[in-house]
Amino acid sequence: MTVYECPECRIQSPVSALTWCCPKCRGPWDLAFTSAPVPLASLGSRVNSLWRYAEALPSLPYGPEVSLGEGRTPLVRLATSATAPDTGSNTGSDPGTGSVAAKLDFLMPTLSFKDRGAVMLAAHARALGPRTVLADSSGNAGTAIAAYGARAGLDCVVYVPEGTSPKKLEQIRAHGARIVEVPGDREATARAAREAAGEPGVFYASHVYNPYFLHGTKTYVYELWEELGGRLPETIVVPVGNGTLLLGAALAVEELYGHGLIGTRPALVAVQAEAVSPLAEAFHAGAEDLTEPAAARPTLAEGIAIPAPPRARQILRAVRATGGTFLTVTEEQIRSAQKDLARRGLFVEATGVACWAAVSAAPPRPGLTVVPLCGAGAKTGLAP
């Protein structure tokens, strides 16, 4: 039976409960769930959404009804030279040694990769029938929860920090969700949301605390595996704030490896903005966890500016387990990367270009490297 489980205390709770965190340590839940092997040969005839990987997903009765066709985003090869042309399109062939490909995860119903996890949370919430669904976000996760909550017929409220992009606020309101703007930074918003999440009848659709979200984001890697004909790239680079895409990727890698569907694990490389990089600092210091929050300094990559991610220990462990590392990028590198991608035909928001900025500045890694382009530039505009 699928249950919530605390990765630190090993306390369990039924997934039918509205308890959003471990009652002992107040940390986020994992999901005690065992996937089955996904048969690669049968995927061609399956539904064109993340639900095609049904064997790998927790059973959710309302999944297909809540789906908006999320997932199955293109994998496009990128040239590493700023002046070289794009070298291909979404193809399963190996682009070659030292090459880079981008997965266009901004081509989603709400224009960000957060749809992968939001559809799982909405399907689960619909089964529970709460009075209200509550989320907190710097914008993209809140938009995704609002959209899929509307699809599921749920009442939603989204907590956001003051100064959130007006375009993202417009998206959230358009889906019928109520917005609570919280004075202060992203951490202040999370604290306010967690306090409200304890009220009766509230389902906390947290992309950080609820593990159903991670089981949605892991489909990013299942798609890479399918696209590349049953293998994975040598390196998977992901932006990390709260680590939801990285931890989903780590889940998928372990499942595929455990089922014998890949022979080796790719390196997971995490990218943070230099301005707010607590995990990168902890990793390079050899620490297993954060000792104190980072200073909340301004950065263009607002979506990954998380001073104290609740899953820090898990993120650091996951990167080390694959022989990966942490990279950081400056504000000028983010600006340059956004303009560079736009000149290649890809307009991506500042947070979403962090991985391309890091890969462009770092020495080439052997084999194929894949970076995600996570959010559309239309959400925020060009970085100043």
Side-chain angles (χ1 to χ4, degrees), residues 159-184:
Y159 283 57
V160 299
E162 59 182 0
T164 296
S165 163
K167 287 294 184 184
K168 293 181 180 180
L169 297 180
E170 184 179 0
Q171 271 189 290
I172 293 169
R173 290 193 180 98
H175 294 305
R178 302 185 306 282
I179 292 175
V180 176
E181 291 193 60
V182 179

Side-chain angles (χ1 to χ4, degrees), residues 237-241 243 246 268-273 276-285 287 290 309 311-320 323-329 358 362 365:
V237 185
V238 291
V240 172
L246 183 137
L268 294 178
V269 174
V271 177
Q272 294 204 290
V276 185
S277 53
L279 292 165
E281 292 174 12
F283 179 88
H284 292 298
L290 300 184
R311 293 186 184 269
R313 181 183 291 271
Q314 290 176 283
I315 296 166
L316 293 167
R317 188 185 303 131
V319 173
R320 289 194 175 103
T325 190
F326 271 82
L327 302 174
T328 60
V329 290
R365 297 179 68 93

Side-chain angles (χ1 to χ4, degrees), residues 11 13 29 48-49 57 59 61 73 125 132 137 150 164 175 194 204 207 232 248 277 331 355:
I11 291 173
S13 173
W29 291 120
N48 197 35
S49 75
L57 298 175
S59 177
T73 55
T132 299
S137 168
T164 296
H175 294 305
R194 291 195 292 266
Y204 186 26
H207 59 292
L232 288 178
S277 53
E331 300 304 291
C355 291

Side-chain angles (χ1 to χ4, degrees), residues 248-287:
L251 275 172
V253 167
E254 289 308 310
E255 289 174 1
L256 289 166
Y257 186 81
H259 291 311
L261 297 175
I262 54 173
T264 58
R265 298 176 177 89
L268 294 178
V269 174
V271 177
Q272 294 204 290
E274 188 178 272
V276 185
S277 53
L279 292 165
E281 292 174 12
F283 179 88
H284 292 298

Side-chain angles (χ1 to χ4, degrees), residues 42-54 57 63-64 66-74 90 103 107-109 115-116 119 148 151 219 222-223 226-227:
S42 73
L43 292 178
S45 61
R46 294 194 178 188
V47 63
N48 197 35
S49 75
L50 61 80
W51 300 101
R52 66 198 286 108
Y53 311 112
L57 298 175
V66 172
S67 175
L68 289 168
E70 58 291 322
R72 300 287 287 149
T73 55
N90 51 324
K103 189 156 174 61
L107 298 179
M108 290 275 198
D115 291 4
R116 295 184 183 276
V119 66
Y148 284 92
R151 176 76 165 174
T219 60
Y222 273 92
E223 289 179 20
E226 180 184 358
E227 182 79 11

